[in-house]
Amino acid sequence: MRRLPFRRLVSLATLAVIGAATMGTTAACGDDDSATGGDSGPVTLRLGYFPNITHAPAVVGVEKGVFAAKLGNDIKLDPKTFNAGPAAIEAIFSGALDATYIGPNPTVNAFSKSKGEAVRVISGAASGGVALVVKPEITSVEQLRGKKISTPQLGNTQDVAIRYWLKEKGLKTTKEGGGDVKIVPQENAQTVETFTSGAIDGAWVPEPFVSRLVNAGGKVLVDERDLWPDKKFVITNLIVSTKFLKAHPDAVKKLVEGQVAANDFVNTKPDEAQQAISDHIGKITGKPLDLKLIKQAWPTLLFTNDPIASSLKTGLDHAVAVELTQPVSLDGLYDLKYLNEVLKTQGQAEVTQP
């Protein structure tokens, strides 16, 4: 497996399948030996995440030692970066990963494919950070008719979002790229180049690609936050393997303590957090993420421990409406017991259990 190139740093829902090396490598498929020992003995927690802005709590938690401090001496953190939701889920399925930060669509897919057995959502992480950026001459949805708009991947979270939004506006799309608006799935790493060359007229993408496209001459036509109640929708949550949760509940609770502490760091020390993200990505890719780009994207994101379960369910309903998936029961997906225990201990408001 090769190192993750800078130009392909994207949010989960948007990414192609690869694993990275060293800290950023996935474990050998089927190798479950590292998650050994009971909670009274040595345990290794293999934690997945994507090195990008929408996974800021994970990146900061690893870079600043927040997770390691909360896990203590008896639980070893083994962080692994991924460039794709499907890759992280496959690692969960194969027993090569114990927990991961990930987007809503891969979360639903993992739960559905395993018939509700493989994973549980144990915390939220981030909301927002997604927009439709278009050529400046496009000022209305009707002007999108006949245009080519990029999304990260057919059926991914952003792909579903734009197809449903267009459907609500009376514009048709097809899986094959036809219809009133032609949806062109492509890796986010390509979007700036195809946008500036005129091959596409816009893109519905997550940060930092929203900011990159704006800096390349585009303008935001739709900020996805405006489409959701209270401007909140899940972009990243934290899931754990059900097997690991049952075997090592104390380790999972300490991981949740780390998540809450990481979000506290991100929210109370934004400048330090942004620098940590730039530095950490530089260690993985050899090229730090531009600090100015991080600061530009930052206000569009809300780092919250609430997984905003209602938005995940609504997103699933939207995917069904645009015929990209089948209805799935999400009963049992969320296990927020430890999150609420941690929040209560800290005097913070508990999250409603779906």
Side-chain angles (χ1 to χ4, degrees):
M1 294 185 180
R2 57 188 177 85
R3 284 184 177 271
L4 179 67
F6 170 76
R7 60 185 176 81
R8 299 180 64 184
L9 294 174
V10 195
S11 75
L12 63 36
T14 71
L15 308 166
V17 176
I18 85 171
T22 315
M23 179 196 304
T25 50
T26 59
C29 293
D31 179 6
D32 198 34
D33 293 339
S34 63
T36 58
D39 282 332
S40 59
V43 175
T44 296
L45 171 60
R46 298 161 299 179
L47 178 66
Y49 66 102
F50 304 153
N52 58 48
I53 302 173
T54 58
H55 286 226
V59 176
V60 171
V62 173
E63 177 67 18
K64 303 300 290 187
V66 177
F67 293 140
K70 292 297 182 181
L71 293 174
N73 296 328
D74 293 333
I75 304 170
K76 178 185 176 183
L77 179 67
D78 183 9
K80 303 174 183 295
T81 59
F82 290 83
N83 188 34
I89 293 303
E90 184 57 36
I92 288 276
F93 282 172
S94 70
L97 197 64
D98 304 310
T100 189
Y101 285 81
I102 203 161
N105 268 31
T107 300
V108 170
N109 290 341
F111 191 74
S112 174
K113 289 180 180 179
S114 67
K115 302 186 186 305
E117 296 295 327
V119 299
R120 296 290 183 267
V121 175
I122 56 174
S123 178
S127 165
V130 181
L132 170 60
V133 182
V134 297
K135 297 290 187 182
E137 61 269 21
I138 299 174
T139 60
S140 68
V141 61
E142 185 58 33
Q143 288 178 302
L144 294 174
R145 190 180 295 273
K147 298 295 192 294
K148 293 182 179 180
I149 304 296
S150 170
T151 65
Q153 186 179 45
L154 176 64
N156 96 305
T157 305
Q158 286 78 52
D159 189 70
V160 168
I162 188 172
R163 291 176 189 274
Y164 184 79
W165 180 73
L166 289 169
K167 178 181 173 69
E168 289 290 284
K169 300 298 183 181
L171 296 176
K172 296 180 180 179
T173 62
T174 70
K175 297 176 185 179
E176 296 74 26
D180 299 319
V181 180
K182 303 181 188 305
I183 304 298
V184 184
Q186 62 183 213
E187 292 183 16
N188 284 338
Q190 297 178 267
T191 56
V192 175
E193 180 181 349
T194 54
F195 182 74
T196 55
S197 71
I200 61 172
D201 301 288
W204 193 295
V205 287
E207 290 288 9
F209 291 93
V210 172
S211 294
R212 284 179 172 164
L213 289 171
V214 169
N215 293 346
K219 73 170 186 180
V220 173
L221 184 65
V222 179
D223 183 330
E224 191 172 338
R225 291 177 297 175
D226 295 334
L227 306 181
W228 294 92
D230 300 322
K231 295 182 178 290
K232 296 178 182 178
F233 64 99
V234 61
I235 188 67
T236 309
N237 50 214
L238 175 58
I239 66 173
V240 67
S241 156
T242 308
K243 180 179 179 181
F244 189 85
L245 175 61
K246 292 178 179 178
H248 307 291
D250 187 56
V252 173
K253 183 176 181 179
K254 290 180 178 180
L255 172 62
V256 172
E257 290 176 350
Q259 155 57 30
V260 172
N263 252 358
D264 183 62
F265 189 108
V266 166
N267 286 316
T268 60
K269 302 176 182 178
D271 290 341
E272 193 173 343
Q274 291 160 14
Q275 187 64 59
I277 292 169
S278 177
D279 293 344
H280 191 73
I281 290 174
K283 291 176 182 178
I284 294 172
T285 68
K287 183 177 181 181
L289 185 58
D290 186 352
L291 192 57
K292 291 182 179 179
L293 194 68
I294 297 174
K295 290 183 178 297
Q296 181 179 345
W298 203 258
T300 70
L301 286 152
L302 171 68
F303 300 106
T304 173
N305 300 308
D306 187 345
I308 319 174
S310 60
S311 69
L312 184 141
K313 175 61 168 63
T314 299
L316 172 60
D317 292 342
H318 291 175
V320 172
V322 296
E323 301 180 349
L324 289 177
T325 192
Q326 297 296 316
V328 176
S329 171
L330 299 179
D331 291 346
L333 172 60
Y334 292 87
D335 187 344
L336 305 181
K337 177 178 68 174
Y338 294 130
L339 174 61
N340 282 326
E341 286 181 7
V342 173
L343 294 175
K344 185 177 181 180
T345 298
Q346 297 187 4
Q348 299 185 44
E350 297 180 34
V351 176
T352 303
Q353 174 78 49

